[in-house]
Amino acid sequence: MAAERFEISFPKESSPAALDGHVMLVIATREKPEPRFQLSFTAETQQAFGVDVDSLAPGATAVVDSTTLGYPIENLEDVPAGDYYVQAVLNIYETFHLANAHTVKLPPDKGEGQHWQLKPGNLYSKTQKVHLSPASSGVIRLSLTEKMPDVAPAEPDTKWVKHVKVRSELLSRFWGRPVDLGAVLLLPDGWDDHPKARYPLIVLQDHFHRDLPGILNMRDEPGSGAGYKFYQDWIAGRMPRVIILTIQHATPYFDDSYAVNSANAGPYGDAITQELIPYVERQFRGIGQGWARAVYGGSTGGWESLASQVFYPDFYNGAYVFCPDVVDFRAYMTINLYEDKNAFWVEGPFTREPRPAMRQADGLLISTMEQMNRFELVQGTKGRSAEQLDAWQAYFSTVGEDGYPQPVFNKRTGEIDHKVAESWKERYDLTHIMERDWKSLGPKLEGKLHVCVGDADSFYLDRAVHLLQDFMETTTAPYYHGTFDFGQRKPHCYAGNFDPKVGLNQHYIPEMVKHMEETAPKGADVSSWKY
């Protein structure tokens, strides 16, 4: 098609002030759902283009033309002729003056879990039908007349579920503005009636949720399946009486912080263990000792569970790790960050083949590494897409000269920066860290590590877990005495071989508590919460 041009602006009614941010233009073949909700890194995605704006004034235009990077088609000129539905969104950035002396512009989380399509205050246009063809070369104008509303309030507290917010002094100092950590708690039956009881704490790591995550899925309506069974088991005392804590720790880079201390995002690991959890245990009568805490979760939460146990080995007494994100950077999905030259291509003397990034459980390729990275780059430069690979880079990288995360590889060419990769290795490669420090870590981790992953993980995460197991099986003084479970032909989110009629939580929580009781120090409170 001809080099048609889109001009995107907002009126003073939308914002009287100039705005920083990133404009997304989505071109879709379907009107519904709105085009902004039709992007993915699979073959079903619609077309998008993205461009940064700095101090864009009301009435001024952001331009998308043949020079603008697109996904999955790179150039606007190559979009086939036809009728389309188009929509534009301005993901608004705020300026942060960080404690590291850098000033950066980032999309703040506003309670929506870092989704630019839903972020309160973001501007967007109404969907418009257009015809693109080689015969036309005019200007298509889109006006950002709409503003995204605030998120709906969280569900009200109940007898069982409590919402908590804690001001973090550690994070507030880093970000140069007030930062809160949130939590949603599930209290045991009888909590109100037994004021002298003290309870073990189990931390569920997951993505951002305004209320209890789906893995808990507690429903008090008869006929609501596993959620109702969990509710019945929980309130009837058929499960150990513990407090379950889920954390809300979205950052400007992702919908959660990976629960680690990060050069780019601040000391979230310390804030969680030194500020949030102690506050919760004081307020809700937790035992407040390391032997009486466990952590579990899947995917991002799986990595966080293992990392929390490794980085705070005395603080937790068991990590139950499901389908974890990359625990060994020799298998960063399908990349060896230390030895491969390119993240996108497997290169030989005469060939260059694309690296896969996502597959079906039967092995069928869904997406490549180059596709996944361009999907992110179109949504945000400098690691600001709030997508998965940019999140890892934000939390694992050092700070670049421009104040943004140092790229571990070039998102246009795939060239790997091995110096950055080596810095990742020493701070966040969990297999390497345990191997390096086993003499001191081993005695603190013995019997605490339990890992599950599908052998056909959708994002090839099983490759890293195999490397982790290879190391664990070599351990001595002590031997790790943990477990690994590889689900045959199971995709991402495999959480072990438990009976679905029993339920995930009903299977694992008693196991966690049994280990606590068996390893509790002499004189520990192992009875006040049993009534």
Side-chain angles (χ1 to χ4, degrees):
M1 60 172 280
E4 276 173 297
R5 169 187 174 101
F6 288 83
E7 293 185 354
I8 301 158
S9 63
F10 60 88
K12 286 185 177 180
E13 292 79 9
S14 294
S15 172
L19 297 173
D20 301 320
H22 188 77
V23 171
M24 290 291 296
L25 170 68
V26 184
I27 301 173
T29 56
R30 304 189 309 273
E31 183 177 11
K32 299 295 184 181
E34 292 180 44
R36 58 184 160 133
F37 298 118
Q38 296 187 46
L39 297 180
S40 71
F41 48 79
T42 71
E44 301 305 313
T45 188
Q46 300 289 351
Q47 178 66 35
F49 295 89
V51 59
D52 290 333
V53 294
D54 289 301
S55 299
L56 184 69
T61 58
V63 175
V64 171
D65 57 19
S66 60
T67 66
T68 308
L69 181 67
Y71 166 87
I73 296 172
E74 289 193 45
N75 196 298
L76 181 61
E77 293 181 336
D78 296 325
V79 175
D83 292 326
Y84 296 98
Y85 298 94
V86 298
Q87 187 176 37
V89 176
L90 172 57
N91 187 19
I92 298 172
Y93 293 169
E94 292 182 5
T95 299
F96 294 81
H97 302 284
L98 305 182
N100 60 17
H102 286 287
T103 297
V104 292
K105 296 179 180 181
L106 299 170
D109 178 74
K110 293 191 173 182
E112 88 295 345
Q114 277 300 0
H115 299 288
W116 56 263
Q117 302 93 333
L118 295 168
K119 188 181 296 294
N122 276 359
L123 306 181
Y124 66 103
S125 69
K126 294 179 179 179
T127 302
Q128 184 173 326
K129 189 174 182 178
V130 300
H131 182 77
L132 304 180
S133 75
S136 61
S137 58
V139 174
I140 298 172
R141 294 181 175 87
L142 299 176
S143 182
L144 307 175
T145 58
E146 312 302 305
K147 183 177 292 188
M148 297 179 195
D150 290 341
V151 295
E155 295 292 328
D157 283 359
T158 70
K159 178 179 179 180
W160 315 104
V161 180
K162 307 294 182 183
H163 296 77
V164 172
K165 187 174 288 186
V166 176
R167 177 62 45 85
S168 169
E169 297 302 325
L170 292 171
L171 296 172
S172 298
R173 283 197 296 271
F174 177 86
W175 284 102
R177 60 170 65 185
V179 176
D180 293 331
L181 284 172
V184 186
L185 307 180
L186 183 58
L187 299 181
D189 74 293
W191 185 89
D192 288 323
D193 302 323
H194 295 79
K196 293 185 178 180
R198 297 292 183 268
Y199 300 90
L201 180 75
I202 295 176
V203 178
L204 170 59
Q205 291 284 10
D206 204 332
H207 289 280
F208 177 87
H209 295 274
R210 292 189 59 75
D211 296 292
L212 289 178
I215 194 172
L216 290 176
N217 189 32
M218 193 165 112
R219 299 289 180 267
D220 60 4
E221 306 91 0
S224 54
Y228 184 60
K229 183 180 187 307
F230 177 49
Y231 170 76
Q232 289 180 306
D233 291 342
W234 187 258
I235 69 171
R238 289 193 287 268
M239 296 180 64
R241 293 182 175 94
V242 300
I243 299 169
I244 300 182
L245 164 70
T246 69
I247 307 174
Q248 296 169 324
H249 47 131
T251 82
Y253 287 107
F254 197 52
D255 77 343
D256 79 11
S257 70
Y258 273 73
V260 294
N261 295 341
S262 164
N264 290 290
Y268 272 90
D270 288 351
I272 290 168
T273 56
Q274 296 176 21
E275 295 176 321
L276 178 65
I277 289 178
Y279 172 84
V280 166
E281 289 176 328
R282 287 193 304 269
Q283 293 296 112
F284 294 93
R285 305 197 311 270
I287 291 172
Q289 298 177 20
W291 70 267
R293 299 187 192 102
V295 58
Y296 75 123
S299 191
T300 291
W303 192 93
E304 290 170 330
S305 298
L306 183 59
S308 295
Q309 185 66 80
V310 171
F311 295 145
Y312 302 92
D314 297 318
F315 195 81
Y316 296 100
N317 191 18
Y320 297 76
V321 178
F322 314 138
C323 53
D325 289 356
V326 284
V327 298
D328 188 313
F329 299 149
R330 292 173 296 173
Y332 185 79
M333 298 171 69
T334 57
I335 308 163
N336 184 328
L337 285 180
Y338 310 134
E339 296 183 4
D340 292 332
K341 294 181 179 179
N342 196 285
F344 299 167
W345 310 102
V346 179
E347 297 177 308
F350 298 103
T351 63
R352 189 175 78 155
E353 305 297 337
R355 287 190 190 277
M358 187 178 181
R359 62 182 172 183
Q360 293 182 174
D362 63 3
L364 182 66
L365 179 65
I366 295 176
S367 183
T368 69
M369 289 299 301
E370 192 277 336
Q371 287 175 296
M372 185 178 288
N373 276 274
R374 190 148 43 85
F375 168 73
E376 294 192 359
L377 185 56
V378 165
Q379 294 183 78
T381 62
K382 300 182 184 296
R384 294 178 291 190
S385 70
E387 293 288 344
Q388 184 61 78
L389 300 174
D390 276 351
W392 290 338
Q393 180 172 280
Y395 300 136
F396 301 158
S397 281
T398 53
V399 180
E401 292 182 1
D402 60 359
Y404 296 95
Q406 187 72 33
V408 71
F409 50 76
N410 185 304
K411 289 184 83 75
R412 290 294 286 134
T413 68
E415 182 182 1
I416 296 171
D417 187 327
H418 291 104
K419 184 177 179 180
V420 175
E422 283 296 319
S423 74
W424 285 28
K425 180 178 183 179
E426 295 305 316
R427 296 191 64 196
Y428 301 105
D429 186 320
L430 299 181
T431 302
H432 169 74
I433 290 168
M434 284 188 278
E435 186 171 8
R436 181 193 67 198
D437 299 336
W438 190 253
K439 184 176 180 180
S440 60
L441 276 178
K444 299 181 178 184
L445 297 179
E446 182 181 5
K448 293 183 178 183
L449 306 182
H450 307 277
V451 186
C452 307
V453 69
D455 242 342
D457 186 273
S458 310
F459 303 99
Y460 301 87
L461 301 174
D462 51 304
R463 300 178 68 241
V465 175
H466 277 290
L467 294 174
L468 173 62
Q469 185 190 35
D470 290 345
F471 162 67
M472 287 297 179
E473 293 300 335
T474 70
T475 56
T476 58
Y479 179 68
Y480 80 104
H481 286 113
T483 60
F484 283 84
D485 177 357
F486 292 90
Q488 186 177 19
R489 300 189 69 181
K490 297 296 183 181
H492 195 53
C493 294
Y494 176 70
N497 187 26
F498 62 89
D499 184 348
K501 294 180 180 179
V502 173
L504 183 151
N505 295 289
Q506 293 94 318
H507 175 84
Y508 284 107
I509 290 175
E511 185 177 323
M512 298 176 196
V513 172
K514 180 182 178 183
H515 176 74
M516 292 177 187
E517 293 174 329
E518 291 174 345
T519 57
K522 186 177 180 179
D525 176 7
V526 294
S527 61
S528 71
W529 41 281
K530 297 176 182 177
Y531 41 78

